[in-house]
Amino acid sequence: MSTSTAASIKKANDAITAAEFAGEGAGNHPQPSEDALSHKRPNAFTKLMANAKKPKAVAEDMENKKSTPKTAKTSHDRFRDALGIYIDHPEQNPEGRVVDFDDEFVLINDGYPKSSVHLLLLPRDPAIYFQHPLDALSTNPTFLAKVCARVEKYKHLAARELRRQYGAHSTSDSPYQTALETLMSSDNPPSPDERDALLPPGRDWLKEIIAGVHTHPSMNHMHVHILSREHNSPYMKHKKHYLSFNTSFLVQMEELPLEEGSPRFHPGDWPSWDMKCWRCGKNFKNKMAALLRHMEEEIEEWKRE
């Protein structure tokens, strides 16, 4: 990628402002409610979190670590750098959002999730994590292969969590749910590995999970979105929220690598695009309130599939 192209992409990164991306008012990540079976079945997120250390004085640690800046950072700058603490200190489990981590990657729950399940995969290599994701994933085959392997692993994790939240409501998942309840109620329940071989497939929750990167990321540190496609979240509030996950503004992992000079690096005047329902395709143009009302009905039907 040329210097001028990289510079234009860097400038375009401000297309989604901190306020627009986060929505009105910050809040804790809403936790999914547990259904009756959730106490009987292993929760993949809980298992991964079991060995995580308790949060420490994160703010104090950040204050001691940083050098004296020449000029104070604005709230927008601080928002754009907010993923750094998870990369630097995942063992502290800042704000309880860390799901999994090792020397190469950190997986966290998005602080402002746009769906029932919304994870962020963060690379930890300082030589990479400030690069534009489309550039790094399109020009570094080794890195792309590593990211794709992790994304595939965590898409399965996200699908299991989605099933935990909504499986009891799903008609096509009923055979799985019934068999699972019987297995977990037995005197000698099987291990997770054994259980998978004994249960019917049920609903294909994996197809409900998408993963990709934004052409104009809202955060400075590279991150890959892994999320369910139904957008059942109080943080899905604005047109830019919706378009950023339901148009070519999101480059899905299956599309990578992009060819040099691909128009996908520059989506154009994407905030002006029409909004179409993720499920039925109905065009709501610029009417976000009408789309949200429609989505409430679509989500209920989607749950029952």
Side-chain angles (χ1 to χ4, degrees):
M1 179 180 294
S2 67
T3 302
S4 60
T5 301
S8 65
I9 290 176
K10 177 64 176 175
K11 182 178 180 181
N13 280 352
D14 291 328
I16 303 182
T17 67
E20 287 169 336
F21 194 83
E24 296 177 358
N28 293 327
H29 178 198
Q31 298 299 314
S33 59
E34 295 186 351
D35 55 56
L37 292 179
S38 64
H39 295 287
K40 299 178 181 179
R41 69 186 70 174
N43 183 330
F45 279 25
T46 302
K47 289 178 67 179
L48 281 171
M49 292 288 291
N51 296 322
K53 295 183 179 180
K54 298 294 183 182
K56 297 180 180 179
V58 175
E60 180 181 349
D61 182 72
M62 292 179 69
E63 186 66 26
N64 292 335
K65 179 182 176 182
K66 67 182 180 182
S67 59
T68 303
K70 294 181 181 179
T71 57
K73 285 189 174 183
T74 66
S75 59
H76 179 65
D77 291 333
R78 289 193 295 271
F79 174 86
R80 289 181 62 83
D81 286 333
L83 296 179
I85 185 62
Y86 304 103
I87 295 170
D88 293 339
H89 298 291
E91 75 285 350
Q92 295 178 359
N93 190 18
E95 298 180 318
R97 292 195 180 124
V98 176
V99 177
D100 195 19
F101 71 93
D102 58 22
D103 291 341
E104 294 187 298
F105 293 94
V106 180
L107 182 73
I108 68 171
N109 283 302
D110 192 295
Y112 302 95
K114 302 305 185 291
S115 294
S116 297
V117 181
H118 191 168
L119 306 171
L120 299 180
L121 179 65
L122 315 174
R124 301 187 69 186
D125 185 351
I128 293 177
Y129 61 49
F130 282 134
Q131 294 182 28
H132 191 283
L134 291 182
D135 189 14
L137 294 167
S138 296
T139 61
N140 188 334
T142 301
F143 178 60
L144 175 61
K146 286 183 178 181
V147 171
C148 285
R150 293 304 180 96
V151 166
E152 187 64 22
K153 171 184 176 181
Y154 293 133
K155 282 178 68 175
H156 281 81
L157 176 66
R160 290 196 295 272
E161 173 62 8
L162 200 62
R163 167 175 264 159
R164 188 191 71 80
Q165 292 187 37
Y166 297 120
H169 306 281
S170 172
T171 300
S172 59
D173 211 39
S174 180
Y176 175 94
Q177 297 294 327
T178 300
L180 177 62
E181 186 170 16
T182 300
L183 280 178
M184 300 309 292
S185 300
S186 65
D187 294 334
N188 187 24
S191 67
D193 291 338
E194 296 172 330
R195 186 180 69 237
D196 289 342
L198 297 172
L199 293 172
R203 181 170 175 175
D204 183 7
W205 294 99
L206 190 61
K207 75 175 185 179
E208 310 294 348
I209 307 298
I210 59 176
V213 295
H214 284 146
T215 55
H216 298 163
S218 61
M219 314 293 281
N220 286 331
H221 295 82
M222 190 187 304
H223 54 285
V224 180
H225 294 271
I226 303 171
L227 71 162
S228 52
R229 66 189 185 100
E230 90 299 335
H231 304 305
N232 186 19
S233 169
Y235 294 108
M236 178 58 76
K237 296 181 178 182
H238 306 302
K239 183 181 181 182
K240 280 188 176 181
H241 293 166
Y242 190 79
L243 291 177
S244 68
F245 291 104
N246 290 278
T247 65
S248 58
F249 185 86
L250 179 75
V251 178
Q252 299 199 32
M253 294 304 299
E254 295 83 356
E255 301 177 73
L256 295 166
L258 299 180
E259 294 183 0
E260 185 175 0
S262 169
R264 295 303 306 282
F265 284 97
H266 305 283
D269 187 22
W270 67 274
S272 69
W273 295 347
D274 289 352
M275 294 181 294
K276 298 179 181 179
C277 175
W278 62 273
R279 189 165 181 264
C280 73
K282 183 178 178 180
N283 193 336
F284 286 84
K285 297 185 177 180
N286 198 40
K287 300 175 181 178
M288 187 64 184
L291 173 61
L292 289 174
R293 289 192 297 269
H294 173 78
M295 282 174 57
E296 290 180 1
E297 299 175 359
E298 291 285 3
I299 288 170
E300 290 304 313
E301 292 185 9
W302 170 82
K303 289 178 184 179
R304 294 192 292 268
E305 285 182 5

